Amino acid sequence: MFKSLKAPLAVTAALALTCIACDPSTTKNDPGSSQQPPAATAAPVSASETANKYGLVPFDDVHQAPAITKSVKVNMSTDAGNLIIEVYPEAAPNAAERFLELVEKGFYDNTPIFRVVDNFVTQFGINWRPGMAEYKNKNFNDDPSYFKLLPGTLAFAKAGPNTNSTQVFINYNDNSALRGQGFTTFARVIEGYENTKKFKSVGDPGMGLDQERLWANGDSYLKSLREKPNMIIKAEIIKE
């Protein structure tokens, strides 16, 4: 079963309305060349937005968003550079718990960034190996969606209500309209967001790599590819 992620028309009218099919015509903004590498950055928050101290912005109709008083940081090393992800258990308890569980188990280690759609999302979270693949069908219940899905925020992909399991996407755009489909912000990239823009789009421009082939035998499938995806090398909780 594919994890559903429907792009709202508010994101772009050209994006198809499925998780695995989006218009390939969207393009990246070219920042130009620079003699110096860009400094590690968090995803931008619009000056017009009222963010809490952790950079999360409640939806306009949320009058009492959960107070965010704690966070857990995760270092995600990729072959395109490191990301520091800040996870907020109070924002989405079920999602935060599962993500941290998978990080501690090593689920995301040596797995591909299998879907990259410019100006929409990048997606990861398929591990076909013994002891990991079983998580594919270990669904957990949705959390209420309190905070906007702004650039750099993370949410779980799913195939319908209460079908979250392992796949996660990072927003490249303000995808807050996805709230209507039940997607929930649980974390944010606070350092290295620029590295997510280096992830290559491989496979189908909208679908990315074949999810079922990855689940079935990812090692063989990846080996067969002429153009390889970026890989997560290791994800680990930062002890503070």
Side-chain angles (χ1 to χ4, degrees), residues 132-162:
M132 303 295 182
E134 292 80 359
Y135 274 97
K136 176 184 179 182
N137 296 315
K138 289 185 178 180
N139 295 338
F140 65 88
N141 290 338
D142 295 339
D143 294 290
S145 186
Y146 293 113
F147 298 98
K148 294 183 178 181
L149 289 91
L150 296 176
T153 58
L154 282 73
F156 273 86
K158 56 183 181 174
N162 303 317

Side-chain angles (χ1 to χ4, degrees), residues 49-79:
E49 305 282 8
T50 303
N52 61 25
K53 70 176 184 176
Y54 290 103
L56 299 184
V57 181
F59 285 102
D60 296 338
D61 62 352
V62 174
H63 304 297
Q64 290 188 324
I68 308 300
T69 63
K70 59 185 177 182
S71 65
V72 180
K73 292 184 177 66
V74 170
N75 181 58
M76 181 172 284
S77 301
T78 81
D79 58 11

Side-chain angles (χ1 to χ4, degrees), residues 71-77 83-87 89 96-109 234-240:
S71 65
V72 180
K73 292 184 177 66
V74 170
N75 181 58
M76 181 172 284
S77 301
L83 315 178
I84 303 297
I85 297 169
E86 195 166 57
V87 181
E97 180 180 14
R98 173 58 61 85
F99 184 73
L100 294 174
E101 176 186 354
L102 293 174
V103 169
E104 288 190 315
K105 192 172 181 65
F107 181 91
Y108 296 115
D109 299 353
K234 187 173 183 59
E236 55 189 340
I237 295 173
I238 299 173
K239 305 297 183 183
E240 296 181 316

